[in-house]
Amino acid sequence: MNAIKTLTGDITHLVMDAIVNAANASLLGGGGVDGAIHRAGGPAILEACRKIRQEVYPNGLPSGEAVVTTGGNLPTRMVIHTAGPIYHSDPDPAGNLQKCYRRCLELAHQHGARRIAFPGISTGVYGFPKEEAARIAVATIREFFTQFPEAGMTVTLVAFSAADEQILQHHLR
Ligand code: AR6
């Protein structure tokens, strides 16, 4: 059985198989949830990101792509880093946000992750409207579940405020 849940809190505290990082093309850290994950996860995550930049994405992670690293000191086995679209400059913000969710779910599934948590990718500094982002998140996860009914995944959508969780709940109804 697959399921979608919501929760309000700090994603770095969650015991999961995988948590998603709303990173950027550089993969070298930043503010928001990215900063929190690197601070709490320690240097092993940054080290793994540097290696991926050198070996796989010398020009940076394209918008809509995702990569997996260790969870370092976090209570999660792995971190899936994705670069969400910058809402006001990306040529296809909705399409690329959908790709982010899809790609993260595919990687989680490939790595055997059953408990996976997402923050609101692009809904902070990157300016993606929260309503539209929640609709895309829920629709993309549901589509994935339809294609992989046997995946046995529980996806937790993590809000950083009660108001944001209300938006997610609305789209789950
Ligand atoms: N746990 C859960 N959610 C969080 C946390 C946390 N610890 N911290 C923030 N949020 P943002 P973006 C929520 O700005 O818009 C960074 O500098 C927050 O309330 O972190 O994808 C990166 O390096 C918001 O709803 O990510 C990039 O340069 C959501 O997480 C850039 O920002 C995403 O906010 C990415 O921007």
Side-chain angles (χ1 to χ4, degrees):
M1 264 294 273
N2 294 312
I4 308 180
K5 291 183 181 172
T6 68
L7 188 138
T8 300
D10 185 338
I11 200 167
T12 65
H13 295 167
L14 302 182
V15 178
M16 292 280 152
D17 298 316
I19 66 168
V20 171
N21 182 14
N24 58 49
S26 83
L27 283 177
L28 301 179
V33 71
D34 193 8
I37 285 173
H38 280 281
R39 269 195 307 279
I45 298 178
L46 187 59
E47 193 48 47
C49 286
R50 285 216 174 94
K51 200 156 178 264
I52 291 167
R53 277 299 305 279
Q54 277 167 10
E55 294 174 3
V56 191
Y57 290 113
N59 299 321
L61 184 68
S63 165
E65 251 310 327
V67 294
V68 175
T69 70
T70 172
N73 300 328
L74 293 168
T76 182
R77 190 148 56 84
M78 60 188 121
V79 177
I80 304 176
H81 306 259
T82 191
I86 300 172
Y87 189 72
H88 293 287
S89 62
D90 194 284
D92 180 16
N96 280 323
L97 188 65
Q98 187 184 343
K99 267 194 208 162
C100 286
Y101 279 94
R102 174 79 197 188
R103 195 70 197 113
C104 289
L105 290 165
E106 285 170 357
L107 283 174
H109 191 39
Q110 277 167 25
H111 286 79
R114 294 163 74 93
R115 299 167 302 171
I116 169 170
F118 280 88
I121 300 165
S122 286
T123 63
V125 180
Y126 280 2
F128 208 112
K130 289 180 176 174
E131 285 280 352
E132 193 188 348
R135 184 183 58 72
I136 291 168
V138 170
T140 309
I141 295 162
R142 283 189 172 148
E143 193 189 341
F144 183 86
F145 284 176
T146 307
Q147 287 166 351
F148 296 93
E150 81 301 346
M153 287 168 85
T154 299
V155 174
T156 303
L157 297 174
V158 181
F160 210 39
S161 69
D164 287 356
E165 188 177 6
Q166 283 299 313
I167 296 173
L168 292 167
Q169 276 295 330
H170 172 79
H171 287 275
L172 281 175
R173 269 182 222 127

